[in-house]
Amino acid sequence: MLLLLLPLLLLLLLPLAVLWRQRAPGPGPSWLASLQHRVACGALCWAAAWQQWRLEQSTLHAGPRQQQALSRCLKRARGPPSPLRGSTDMTTFRSHLPLTEASQAPEEESGEQLLAPASKRHPGEASLQATLLGLAALNQAYPAALAPGSRACVTPTSPWPHPLPWPWCAPRRAGPPGAKDPRALLLEALRSLGLRALEAGTAAELLDVFSGLEADGEELAEAMAAGKPGAPLPARAAELREALEQGPRGLALRLWPELQVVVTLDAGGQGEAVAALEALWCHGLAFFSPAYAASGGVVGLSLWPEQPAGHYLLPPGAPVIELLPVPAGGQEEAATTVLLAEAQKGQEYELVVTDQASLTRCRLGDVVRVAGAYNQCPVVRFICRRGQALSVRGEDIGEDVFSEALGRAVGQWPGAKLLDHVCVESSILDSSGGSAAPHYEVFVALRGLRNLSEENRDKLDRCLQEASPGYKALRFRGSVGPARVHLVGPGAFGALREALAASPAGPFPPEMPRVLRHRRLARLLQGRVLC
Protein backbone atom coordinates (compact mmCIF):
# COMPACT_ATOMS: atom_id res chain seq x y z
CA MET A 1 0.00 0.00 0.00
CA LEU A 2 2.82 2.41 0.83
CA LEU A 3 4.37 1.75 -2.59
CA LEU A 4 1.09 2.95 -4.14
CA LEU A 5 0.79 6.02 -1.93
CA LEU A 6 4.31 7.34 -2.58
CA PRO A 7 3.92 7.68 -6.39
CA LEU A 8 0.49 9.29 -5.81
CA LEU A 9 2.05 11.85 -3.49
CA LEU A 10 4.75 12.56 -6.10
CA LEU A 11 2.07 13.19 -8.73
CA LEU A 12 0.31 15.61 -6.42
CA LEU A 13 3.54 17.49 -5.70
CA LEU A 14 4.55 17.85 -9.36
CA PRO A 15 2.05 20.59 -10.41
CA LEU A 16 2.67 22.42 -7.12
CA ALA A 17 6.40 22.36 -7.80
CA VAL A 18 6.02 23.73 -11.32
CA LEU A 19 3.69 26.50 -10.11
CA TRP A 20 6.01 27.42 -7.22
CA ARG A 21 9.07 27.64 -9.51
CA GLN A 22 7.14 29.86 -11.93
CA ARG A 23 6.08 32.23 -9.14
CA ALA A 24 9.24 32.30 -7.06
CA PRO A 25 12.38 31.49 -9.02
CA GLY A 26 15.51 31.61 -6.93
CA PRO A 27 19.12 30.60 -6.89
CA GLY A 28 18.61 27.56 -4.67
CA PRO A 29 16.03 24.83 -4.17
CA SER A 30 12.82 25.80 -2.38
CA TRP A 31 11.36 23.96 0.58
CA LEU A 32 8.94 22.29 -1.81
CA ALA A 33 11.79 21.05 -4.01
CA SER A 34 13.47 19.64 -0.92
CA LEU A 35 10.23 17.90 0.07
CA GLN A 36 9.90 16.45 -3.43
CA HIS A 37 13.45 15.15 -3.22
CA ARG A 38 12.86 13.48 0.16
CA VAL A 39 9.65 11.82 -1.00
CA ALA A 40 11.23 10.76 -4.30
CA CYS A 41 14.23 9.26 -2.50
CA GLY A 42 11.86 7.35 -0.25
CA ALA A 43 10.00 5.97 -3.26
CA LEU A 44 13.29 5.13 -4.95
CA CYS A 45 14.50 3.23 -1.89
CA TRP A 46 11.31 1.15 -1.80
CA ALA A 47 11.37 0.44 -5.55
CA ALA A 48 15.09 -0.41 -5.47
CA ALA A 49 14.60 -2.66 -2.43
CA TRP A 50 11.90 -4.53 -4.32
CA GLN A 51 14.16 -4.92 -7.36
CA GLN A 52 17.06 -6.00 -5.14
CA TRP A 53 14.87 -8.65 -3.49
CA ARG A 54 13.79 -9.93 -6.92
CA LEU A 55 17.40 -10.00 -8.08
CA GLU A 56 18.47 -11.85 -4.94
CA GLN A 57 15.78 -14.49 -5.41
CA SER A 58 16.47 -14.92 -9.12
CA THR A 59 20.23 -15.25 -8.70
CA LEU A 60 19.78 -17.81 -5.92
CA HIS A 61 17.80 -19.97 -8.37
CA ALA A 62 19.41 -19.02 -11.67
CA GLY A 63 18.54 -22.21 -13.57
CA PRO A 64 14.78 -22.18 -12.92
CA ARG A 65 14.62 -18.41 -13.47
CA GLN A 66 16.26 -18.75 -16.87
CA GLN A 67 13.71 -21.44 -17.74
CA GLN A 68 10.92 -19.05 -16.71
CA ALA A 69 12.43 -16.24 -18.77
CA LEU A 70 12.64 -18.58 -21.75
CA SER A 71 9.00 -19.56 -21.32
CA ARG A 72 7.90 -15.90 -21.27
CA CYS A 73 10.05 -15.20 -24.32
CA LEU A 74 8.42 -18.03 -26.28
CA LYS A 75 4.89 -16.97 -25.30
CA ARG A 76 5.47 -13.33 -26.29
CA ALA A 77 7.34 -14.06 -29.52
CA ARG A 78 5.78 -12.57 -32.63
CA GLY A 79 5.01 -14.44 -35.80
CA PRO A 80 3.19 -17.72 -36.57
CA PRO A 81 2.77 -20.35 -33.85
CA SER A 82 5.87 -22.43 -33.17
CA PRO A 83 6.12 -25.92 -31.67
CA LEU A 84 8.63 -24.48 -29.22
CA ARG A 85 6.03 -22.31 -27.50
CA GLY A 86 4.75 -25.16 -25.41
CA SER A 87 8.21 -26.23 -24.25
CA THR A 88 10.81 -24.74 -21.94
CA ASP A 89 13.34 -27.53 -22.32
CA MET A 90 16.73 -25.96 -23.14
CA THR A 91 17.89 -28.97 -25.17
CA THR A 92 14.83 -28.75 -27.41
CA PHE A 93 15.22 -24.99 -27.59
CA ARG A 94 18.85 -25.27 -28.71
CA SER A 95 18.17 -27.97 -31.28
CA HIS A 96 15.28 -26.10 -32.94
CA LEU A 97 16.96 -22.69 -32.85
CA PRO A 98 20.59 -22.92 -33.98
CA LEU A 99 23.01 -20.10 -33.23
CA THR A 100 23.08 -17.22 -35.68
CA GLU A 101 25.80 -14.63 -36.19
CA ALA A 102 25.13 -10.95 -35.65
CA SER A 103 24.30 -9.73 -39.15
CA GLN A 104 26.97 -7.77 -40.95
CA ALA A 105 25.65 -5.72 -43.87
CA PRO A 106 27.84 -5.73 -46.99
CA GLU A 107 29.67 -2.61 -48.06
CA GLU A 108 27.31 -0.18 -49.79
CA GLU A 109 28.70 2.81 -51.55
CA SER A 110 25.38 4.60 -51.16
CA GLY A 111 26.00 4.70 -47.42
CA GLU A 112 22.38 3.91 -46.66
CA GLN A 113 23.45 1.18 -44.23
CA LEU A 114 26.79 1.54 -42.55
CA LEU A 115 26.40 -0.85 -39.66
CA ALA A 116 24.70 -4.10 -38.91
CA PRO A 117 21.10 -3.63 -37.78
CA ALA A 118 20.80 -3.51 -34.01
CA SER A 119 18.08 -2.92 -31.48
CA LYS A 120 17.26 0.64 -30.54
CA ARG A 121 16.97 1.90 -26.97
CA HIS A 122 13.62 0.92 -25.51
CA PRO A 123 12.35 0.51 -21.96
CA GLY A 124 12.26 -3.06 -20.72
CA GLU A 125 12.51 -5.16 -17.59
CA ALA A 126 16.31 -5.31 -17.61
CA SER A 127 16.60 -1.59 -18.39
CA LEU A 128 14.25 -0.63 -15.56
CA GLN A 129 16.06 -2.92 -13.12
CA ALA A 130 19.47 -1.53 -14.13
CA THR A 131 18.26 2.05 -13.73
CA LEU A 132 16.58 1.61 -10.34
CA LEU A 133 19.43 -0.41 -8.85
CA GLY A 134 21.99 1.95 -10.37
CA LEU A 135 20.29 5.01 -8.90
CA ALA A 136 20.09 3.35 -5.50
CA ALA A 137 23.77 2.31 -5.62
CA LEU A 138 24.78 5.81 -6.68
CA ASN A 139 22.69 7.35 -3.91
CA GLN A 140 24.31 5.07 -1.33
CA ALA A 141 27.88 5.74 -2.49
CA TYR A 142 27.39 9.49 -3.17
CA PRO A 143 24.33 10.67 -1.18
CA ALA A 144 24.53 14.26 -2.44
CA ALA A 145 24.69 13.27 -6.12
CA LEU A 146 20.91 12.98 -6.48
CA ALA A 147 20.03 16.16 -4.56
CA PRO A 148 18.12 18.87 -6.47
CA GLY A 149 20.44 20.74 -8.84
CA SER A 150 23.35 18.33 -8.28
CA ARG A 151 23.20 16.47 -11.61
CA ALA A 152 23.69 17.52 -15.20
CA CYS A 153 23.74 15.51 -18.41
CA VAL A 154 25.90 17.14 -21.10
CA THR A 155 24.93 14.89 -24.03
CA PRO A 156 21.59 14.34 -25.80
CA THR A 157 21.68 10.68 -24.77
CA SER A 158 21.44 9.55 -21.14
CA PRO A 159 23.61 6.97 -19.34
CA TRP A 160 20.49 5.52 -17.74
CA PRO A 161 19.03 2.66 -19.83
CA HIS A 162 15.44 3.44 -18.78
CA PRO A 163 13.88 6.94 -18.62
CA LEU A 164 14.51 8.33 -15.16
CA PRO A 165 11.59 8.66 -12.75
CA TRP A 166 10.42 12.11 -11.72
CA PRO A 167 11.80 14.39 -10.24
CA TRP A 168 15.24 13.40 -11.67
CA CYS A 169 13.81 13.85 -15.16
CA ALA A 170 12.09 17.15 -14.28
CA PRO A 171 11.33 19.34 -17.32
CA ARG A 172 14.14 21.68 -18.31
CA ARG A 173 13.81 25.39 -18.02
CA ALA A 174 12.20 27.05 -21.02
CA GLY A 175 14.80 27.77 -23.65
CA PRO A 176 15.38 28.21 -27.35
CA PRO A 177 14.76 25.43 -29.88
CA GLY A 178 17.43 22.77 -29.88
CA ALA A 179 17.59 22.43 -26.09
CA LYS A 180 18.97 18.95 -26.67
CA ASP A 181 21.92 20.40 -28.57
CA PRO A 182 25.17 19.42 -26.82
CA ARG A 183 26.29 23.05 -26.69
CA ALA A 184 23.07 24.09 -24.93
CA LEU A 185 23.38 21.20 -22.47
CA LEU A 186 26.99 22.12 -21.72
CA LEU A 187 26.07 25.77 -21.15
CA GLU A 188 23.36 24.73 -18.74
CA ALA A 189 25.82 22.55 -16.83
CA LEU A 190 28.46 25.31 -16.74
CA ARG A 191 25.95 27.67 -15.12
CA SER A 192 25.60 25.24 -12.18
CA LEU A 193 28.54 25.59 -9.80
CA GLY A 194 27.36 22.95 -7.31
CA LEU A 195 27.27 19.85 -9.50
CA ARG A 196 28.04 16.56 -7.75
CA ALA A 197 27.39 14.17 -10.68
CA LEU A 198 28.28 14.76 -14.33
CA GLU A 199 26.44 12.52 -16.78
CA ALA A 200 26.97 11.62 -20.44
CA GLY A 201 25.61 8.92 -22.73
CA THR A 202 29.01 7.24 -23.08
CA ALA A 203 32.62 8.07 -22.22
CA ALA A 204 33.40 8.67 -25.91
CA GLU A 205 30.62 11.26 -26.08
CA LEU A 206 31.94 12.96 -22.94
CA LEU A 207 35.38 13.06 -24.52
CA ASP A 208 33.85 14.96 -27.45
CA VAL A 209 32.19 17.37 -25.00
CA PHE A 210 35.47 18.28 -23.28
CA SER A 211 37.27 18.58 -26.62
CA GLY A 212 34.56 20.96 -27.78
CA LEU A 213 34.74 22.88 -24.51
CA GLU A 214 38.42 23.56 -25.06
CA ALA A 215 37.90 24.52 -28.71
CA ASP A 216 34.90 26.80 -28.09
CA GLY A 217 35.68 27.93 -24.55
CA GLU A 218 35.80 31.64 -25.36
CA GLU A 219 32.46 31.55 -27.18
CA LEU A 220 30.86 29.71 -24.26
CA ALA A 221 32.30 32.24 -21.80
CA GLU A 222 30.92 35.11 -23.87
CA ALA A 223 27.50 33.43 -24.02
CA MET A 224 27.41 33.07 -20.23
CA ALA A 225 28.57 36.65 -19.68
CA ALA A 226 25.85 37.92 -22.04
CA GLY A 227 23.14 35.74 -20.51
CA LYS A 228 22.48 33.48 -23.51
CA PRO A 229 20.45 31.77 -22.22
CA GLY A 230 19.48 32.79 -18.70
CA ALA A 231 20.71 35.63 -16.56
CA PRO A 232 24.17 37.10 -17.29
CA LEU A 233 26.93 35.45 -15.26
CA PRO A 234 30.12 37.46 -15.88
CA ALA A 235 31.86 36.06 -12.78
CA ARG A 236 31.18 32.47 -13.88
CA ALA A 237 32.44 33.31 -17.37
CA ALA A 238 35.69 34.55 -15.85
CA GLU A 239 36.01 31.32 -13.85
CA LEU A 240 35.59 29.31 -17.06
CA ARG A 241 38.35 31.27 -18.82
CA GLU A 242 40.69 30.85 -15.85
CA ALA A 243 40.00 27.09 -15.61
CA LEU A 244 40.70 26.60 -19.33
CA GLU A 245 43.97 28.53 -19.14
CA GLN A 246 45.36 25.95 -16.68
CA GLY A 247 45.14 23.11 -19.22
CA PRO A 248 43.05 19.92 -19.45
CA ARG A 249 44.28 18.00 -16.39
CA GLY A 250 41.70 18.33 -13.61
CA LEU A 251 39.49 20.71 -15.63
CA ALA A 252 36.22 19.16 -14.42
CA LEU A 253 37.07 19.69 -10.75
CA ARG A 254 38.16 23.28 -11.41
CA LEU A 255 34.82 24.00 -13.08
CA TRP A 256 32.75 22.13 -10.47
CA PRO A 257 34.72 21.94 -7.18
CA GLU A 258 32.06 19.75 -5.50
CA LEU A 259 31.93 17.18 -8.32
CA GLN A 260 32.21 13.59 -7.06
CA VAL A 261 31.36 11.14 -9.83
CA VAL A 262 31.07 10.84 -13.60
CA VAL A 263 28.20 8.64 -14.83
CA THR A 264 28.39 7.08 -18.31
CA LEU A 265 26.89 3.97 -19.90
CA ASP A 266 29.47 1.28 -20.59
CA ALA A 267 29.38 -0.16 -24.09
CA GLY A 268 31.82 -1.56 -26.61
CA GLY A 269 34.99 0.40 -27.35
CA GLN A 270 34.79 2.86 -24.44
CA GLY A 271 37.97 1.87 -22.58
CA GLU A 272 40.30 4.35 -24.27
CA ALA A 273 37.91 7.25 -23.71
CA VAL A 274 37.59 6.40 -20.00
CA ALA A 275 41.38 6.18 -19.64
CA ALA A 276 41.86 9.54 -21.37
CA LEU A 277 39.20 11.23 -19.25
CA GLU A 278 40.62 9.80 -16.01
CA ALA A 279 44.13 10.96 -16.92
CA LEU A 280 43.17 14.45 -18.10
CA TRP A 281 39.85 16.29 -17.86
CA CYS A 282 38.23 14.14 -15.13
CA HIS A 283 41.39 13.42 -13.15
CA GLY A 284 40.61 12.68 -9.50
CA LEU A 285 36.97 11.70 -10.11
CA ALA A 286 35.22 8.35 -9.76
CA PHE A 287 33.47 6.77 -12.76
CA PHE A 288 30.23 4.80 -12.55
CA SER A 289 28.20 2.94 -15.17
CA PRO A 290 24.74 1.62 -14.23
CA ALA A 291 24.95 -1.20 -16.78
CA TYR A 292 26.76 -2.74 -19.69
CA ALA A 293 24.76 -2.46 -22.90
CA ALA A 294 25.34 -4.48 -26.06
CA SER A 295 23.45 -4.66 -29.33
CA GLY A 296 20.95 -6.97 -27.64
CA GLY A 297 20.12 -4.39 -24.95
CA VAL A 298 21.15 -4.30 -21.29
CA VAL A 299 23.08 -7.48 -20.53
CA GLY A 300 25.02 -6.62 -17.35
CA LEU A 301 24.13 -4.87 -14.07
CA SER A 302 26.55 -2.72 -12.07
CA LEU A 303 25.90 -2.99 -8.34
CA TRP A 304 29.23 -1.89 -6.87
CA PRO A 305 30.11 1.79 -7.58
CA GLU A 306 32.76 1.77 -4.85
CA GLN A 307 34.69 -1.07 -6.53
CA PRO A 308 36.88 -0.85 -9.66
CA ALA A 309 34.79 -0.22 -12.75
CA GLY A 310 34.14 -2.88 -15.33
CA HIS A 311 32.56 -5.72 -13.31
CA TYR A 312 28.98 -6.61 -14.19
CA LEU A 313 26.45 -9.19 -13.04
CA LEU A 314 24.70 -11.21 -15.75
CA PRO A 315 21.09 -11.54 -14.50
CA PRO A 316 18.93 -14.61 -15.24
CA GLY A 317 15.85 -12.73 -16.47
CA ALA A 318 14.99 -11.33 -19.89
CA PRO A 319 16.71 -11.19 -22.30
CA VAL A 320 17.70 -14.86 -22.10
CA ILE A 321 21.52 -14.98 -21.98
CA GLU A 322 23.59 -18.05 -22.85
CA LEU A 323 27.36 -18.36 -22.80
CA LEU A 324 29.38 -19.89 -25.64
CA PRO A 325 32.86 -20.99 -24.44
CA VAL A 326 35.68 -19.26 -26.31
CA PRO A 327 38.22 -21.89 -27.42
CA ALA A 328 41.86 -21.53 -26.47
CA GLY A 329 44.41 -21.26 -29.27
CA GLY A 330 44.24 -24.17 -31.69
CA GLN A 331 41.13 -25.75 -30.13
CA GLU A 332 37.87 -26.31 -31.97
CA GLU A 333 34.91 -24.04 -31.25
CA ALA A 334 32.49 -25.26 -28.58
CA ALA A 335 29.48 -27.13 -29.94
CA THR A 336 26.96 -25.88 -27.40
CA THR A 337 26.30 -23.07 -24.94
CA VAL A 338 26.08 -23.14 -21.15
CA LEU A 339 23.63 -21.38 -18.86
CA LEU A 340 24.62 -18.73 -16.34
CA ALA A 341 24.79 -21.10 -13.37
CA GLU A 342 27.23 -23.32 -15.31
CA ALA A 343 29.83 -20.58 -15.96
CA GLN A 344 33.36 -21.30 -14.73
CA LYS A 345 35.57 -18.67 -13.09
CA GLY A 346 38.44 -17.57 -15.32
CA GLN A 347 36.80 -18.94 -18.48
CA GLU A 348 36.02 -16.66 -21.44
CA TYR A 349 32.63 -16.81 -23.14
CA GLU A 350 30.84 -15.13 -26.00
CA LEU A 351 27.39 -13.79 -25.15
CA VAL A 352 24.37 -15.31 -26.89
CA VAL A 353 21.03 -13.50 -26.54
CA THR A 354 17.61 -14.70 -27.65
CA ASP A 355 15.73 -12.02 -29.55
CA GLN A 356 12.08 -12.13 -28.52
CA ALA A 357 10.80 -10.33 -31.62
CA SER A 358 12.22 -12.76 -34.20
CA LEU A 359 12.89 -15.71 -31.84
CA THR A 360 16.54 -16.09 -32.83
CA ARG A 361 19.58 -17.03 -30.73
CA CYS A 362 22.12 -14.42 -31.76
CA ARG A 363 25.85 -14.44 -31.05
CA LEU A 364 26.54 -10.84 -30.06
CA GLY A 365 30.31 -11.05 -30.51
CA ASP A 366 30.94 -9.61 -27.02
CA VAL A 367 33.51 -11.74 -25.18
CA VAL A 368 33.50 -11.78 -21.36
CA ARG A 369 35.74 -13.35 -18.72
CA VAL A 370 34.15 -14.65 -15.51
CA ALA A 371 35.73 -12.83 -12.57
CA GLY A 372 33.52 -14.19 -9.79
CA ALA A 373 29.96 -15.04 -8.86
CA TYR A 374 26.96 -13.45 -7.17
CA ASN A 375 24.94 -16.35 -5.78
CA GLN A 376 24.55 -18.61 -8.85
CA CYS A 377 25.16 -15.95 -11.51
CA PRO A 378 28.51 -14.91 -12.98
CA VAL A 379 30.17 -11.54 -12.45
CA VAL A 380 32.10 -10.76 -15.62
CA ARG A 381 34.51 -8.35 -17.25
CA PHE A 382 34.11 -7.51 -20.90
CA ILE A 383 37.23 -8.35 -22.88
CA CYS A 384 36.65 -7.63 -26.56
CA ARG A 385 34.29 -7.92 -29.51
CA ARG A 386 34.84 -10.71 -32.03
CA GLY A 387 33.72 -8.52 -34.92
CA GLN A 388 36.54 -6.05 -34.23
CA ALA A 389 39.42 -8.38 -35.12
CA LEU A 390 41.95 -7.60 -37.88
CA SER A 391 42.95 -10.12 -40.51
CA VAL A 392 44.54 -9.40 -43.89
CA ARG A 393 46.30 -12.79 -44.19
CA GLY A 394 44.46 -14.92 -41.64
CA GLU A 395 46.45 -13.65 -38.65
CA ASP A 396 43.32 -12.70 -36.61
CA ILE A 397 44.50 -9.98 -34.21
CA GLY A 398 41.74 -9.38 -31.66
CA GLU A 399 40.54 -6.01 -30.44
CA ASP A 400 42.12 -6.49 -27.02
CA VAL A 401 45.48 -7.60 -28.46
CA PHE A 402 45.71 -4.66 -30.84
CA SER A 403 44.63 -2.11 -28.20
CA GLU A 404 47.26 -3.42 -25.78
CA ALA A 405 49.99 -3.23 -28.45
CA LEU A 406 48.96 0.28 -29.43
CA GLY A 407 48.96 1.34 -25.78
CA ARG A 408 52.52 0.08 -25.36
CA ALA A 409 53.63 1.89 -28.50
CA VAL A 410 52.03 5.20 -27.46
CA GLY A 411 53.72 4.84 -24.09
CA GLN A 412 57.03 5.08 -25.96
CA TRP A 413 56.04 8.31 -27.74
CA PRO A 414 57.30 11.15 -25.49
CA GLY A 415 54.47 13.27 -24.06
CA ALA A 416 51.70 11.50 -25.99
CA LYS A 417 48.33 10.49 -24.56
CA LEU A 418 46.06 8.30 -26.68
CA LEU A 419 42.51 9.63 -27.01
CA ASP A 420 41.03 7.43 -29.73
CA HIS A 421 41.90 5.08 -32.58
CA VAL A 422 40.44 2.98 -35.37
CA CYS A 423 42.01 0.54 -37.83
CA VAL A 424 41.26 -0.07 -41.49
CA GLU A 425 42.49 -3.02 -43.53
CA SER A 426 44.33 -1.68 -46.59
CA SER A 427 41.94 -3.32 -49.05
CA ILE A 428 39.12 -1.05 -47.82
CA LEU A 429 41.04 2.07 -48.87
CA ASP A 430 42.85 0.43 -51.82
CA SER A 431 46.06 1.76 -50.22
CA SER A 432 48.22 -1.19 -51.24
CA GLY A 433 48.56 0.29 -54.72
CA GLY A 434 48.11 -3.10 -56.36
CA SER A 435 51.68 -4.19 -55.54
CA ALA A 436 52.41 -3.44 -51.87
CA ALA A 437 51.64 -6.15 -49.33
CA PRO A 438 48.33 -5.82 -47.45
CA HIS A 439 48.64 -3.97 -44.17
CA TYR A 440 46.79 -2.01 -41.48
CA GLU A 441 45.98 1.69 -41.72
CA VAL A 442 45.80 3.04 -38.15
CA PHE A 443 44.20 6.42 -37.40
CA VAL A 444 44.95 7.89 -33.96
CA ALA A 445 43.96 10.99 -32.01
CA LEU A 446 46.61 12.12 -29.54
CA ARG A 447 47.14 14.72 -26.87
CA GLY A 448 50.61 16.17 -26.24
CA LEU A 449 52.13 15.20 -29.61
CA ARG A 450 51.60 17.12 -32.85
CA ASN A 451 53.83 15.14 -35.18
CA LEU A 452 54.82 11.50 -35.62
CA SER A 453 58.36 10.60 -36.59
CA GLU A 454 59.08 7.49 -38.63
CA GLU A 455 60.78 6.01 -35.58
CA ASN A 456 57.60 6.40 -33.53
CA ARG A 457 55.46 4.95 -36.31
CA ASP A 458 57.70 1.89 -36.49
CA LYS A 459 57.25 1.24 -32.76
CA LEU A 460 53.63 0.18 -33.29
CA ASP A 461 54.63 -2.47 -35.81
CA ARG A 462 57.27 -3.82 -33.44
CA CYS A 463 54.76 -3.96 -30.57
CA LEU A 464 52.30 -5.82 -32.82
CA GLN A 465 54.95 -8.39 -33.68
CA GLU A 466 55.66 -8.90 -29.98
CA ALA A 467 51.95 -9.32 -29.25
CA SER A 468 51.12 -11.69 -32.11
CA PRO A 469 53.49 -14.49 -33.23
CA GLY A 470 51.29 -15.04 -36.28
CA TYR A 471 51.62 -11.43 -37.36
CA LYS A 472 55.38 -11.56 -36.74
CA ALA A 473 55.76 -14.61 -38.99
CA LEU A 474 53.78 -12.93 -41.79
CA ARG A 475 55.87 -9.79 -41.46
CA PHE A 476 59.09 -11.85 -41.60
CA ARG A 477 57.98 -13.52 -44.85
CA GLY A 478 56.84 -10.21 -46.32
CA SER A 479 53.25 -11.42 -46.69
CA VAL A 480 52.03 -8.45 -44.63
CA GLY A 481 53.38 -4.94 -44.81
CA PRO A 482 54.14 -2.70 -41.82
CA ALA A 483 51.25 -0.92 -40.13
CA ARG A 484 50.90 2.68 -41.25
CA VAL A 485 50.02 5.20 -38.53
CA HIS A 486 48.17 8.47 -39.26
CA LEU A 487 47.58 11.32 -36.80
CA VAL A 488 44.15 12.94 -37.29
CA GLY A 489 43.12 16.45 -36.29
CA PRO A 490 40.80 17.56 -33.46
CA GLY A 491 37.17 16.68 -34.02
CA ALA A 492 37.89 13.83 -36.44
CA PHE A 493 36.51 11.12 -34.18
CA GLY A 494 33.61 13.34 -33.15
CA ALA A 495 32.68 13.59 -36.83
CA LEU A 496 32.97 9.81 -37.13
CA ARG A 497 30.60 9.32 -34.19
CA GLU A 498 28.13 11.77 -35.74
CA ALA A 499 28.22 9.78 -38.98
CA LEU A 500 27.63 6.55 -37.06
CA ALA A 501 24.73 8.05 -35.09
CA ALA A 502 23.13 9.47 -38.25
CA SER A 503 22.98 6.07 -39.91
CA PRO A 504 19.47 4.51 -39.99
CA ALA A 505 21.11 1.33 -38.71
CA GLY A 506 22.98 3.12 -35.94
CA PRO A 507 22.99 0.85 -32.89
CA PHE A 508 21.93 1.14 -29.32
CA PRO A 509 24.17 1.58 -27.52
CA PRO A 510 26.43 3.83 -29.61
CA GLU A 511 29.37 1.42 -29.59
CA MET A 512 32.72 2.79 -30.73
CA PRO A 513 34.10 0.62 -33.56
CA ARG A 514 37.83 -0.09 -33.56
CA VAL A 515 37.86 -1.59 -37.06
CA LEU A 516 36.13 0.24 -39.92
CA ARG A 517 34.93 -1.95 -42.77
CA HIS A 518 33.10 0.72 -44.75
CA ARG A 519 34.97 2.85 -47.23
CA ARG A 520 32.90 5.96 -46.66
CA LEU A 521 33.69 6.06 -42.95
CA ALA A 522 37.35 5.29 -43.53
CA ARG A 523 37.64 8.11 -46.05
CA LEU A 524 36.02 10.48 -43.56
CA LEU A 525 39.03 9.98 -41.26
CA GLN A 526 41.47 9.89 -44.16
CA GLY A 527 40.36 13.40 -45.09
CA ARG A 528 41.28 14.67 -41.61
CA VAL A 529 44.83 13.30 -41.42
CA LEU A 530 47.45 15.80 -40.21
CA CYS A 531 50.52 13.64 -40.80
Side-chain angles (χ1 to χ4, degrees), residues 17-141:
V18 174
L19 178 62
W20 184 270
R21 287 178 180 174
Q22 290 175 346
R23 293 182 56 188
S30 65
W31 64 269
L32 187 55
S34 299
L35 177 60
Q36 296 163 13
H37 174 67
R38 290 177 180 273
V39 175
C41 283
L44 172 64
C45 289
W46 277 94
W50 167 247
Q51 289 289 347
Q52 183 65 46
W53 181 84
R54 292 184 61 203
L55 181 66
E56 191 73 19
Q57 295 302 307
S58 65
T59 55
L60 281 170
H61 309 91
R65 288 306 169 96
Q66 281 207 280
Q67 297 280 1
Q68 294 175 11
L70 173 61
S71 176
R72 289 195 299 269
C73 177
L74 294 173
K75 289 178 181 178
R76 297 174 184 175
R78 303 169 188 171
S82 167
L84 284 174
R85 297 192 181 181
S87 170
T88 58
D89 179 65
M90 287 300 300
T91 302
T92 304
F93 175 68
R94 288 168 175 149
S95 62
H96 280 77
L97 293 178
L99 295 177
T100 59
E101 296 279 352
S103 59
Q104 294 292 334
E107 174 73 15
E108 295 186 13
E109 292 301 323
S110 64
E112 291 299 319
Q113 186 165 348
L114 300 177
L115 294 175
S119 60
K120 297 290 184 180
R121 178 189 297 251
H122 61 277
E125 178 183 352
S127 297
L128 176 61
Q129 186 178 53
T131 299
L132 288 174
L133 292 178
L135 281 171
L138 188 67
N139 187 55
Q140 183 175 2

Side-chain angles (χ1 to χ4, degrees), residues 420-471:
D420 233 327
H421 90 273
V422 296
C423 302
V424 181
E425 294 173 1
S426 57
S427 59
I428 301 295
L429 288 171
D430 296 326
S431 56
S432 294
S435 59
H439 57 273
Y440 309 147
E441 301 281 350
V442 185
F443 299 88
V444 297
L446 301 173
R447 188 77 187 219
L449 194 63
R450 298 185 178 183
N451 195 9
L452 281 176
S453 65
E454 288 303 318
E455 181 184 0
N456 283 338
R457 296 175 199 265
D458 291 341
K459 288 176 181 176
L460 172 59
D461 197 72
R462 289 200 293 270
C463 288
L464 281 173
Q465 293 185 48
E466 293 172 1
S468 171
Y471 178 80

Side-chain angles (χ1 to χ4, degrees), residues 358-382:
S358 58
L359 204 58
T360 57
R361 296 168 66 221
C362 183
R363 296 174 58 171
L364 296 184
D366 295 70
V367 176
V368 302
R369 180 180 296 128
V370 178
Y374 182 85
N375 293 332
Q376 293 183 359
C377 288
V379 176
V380 301
R381 293 194 64 211
F382 285 77

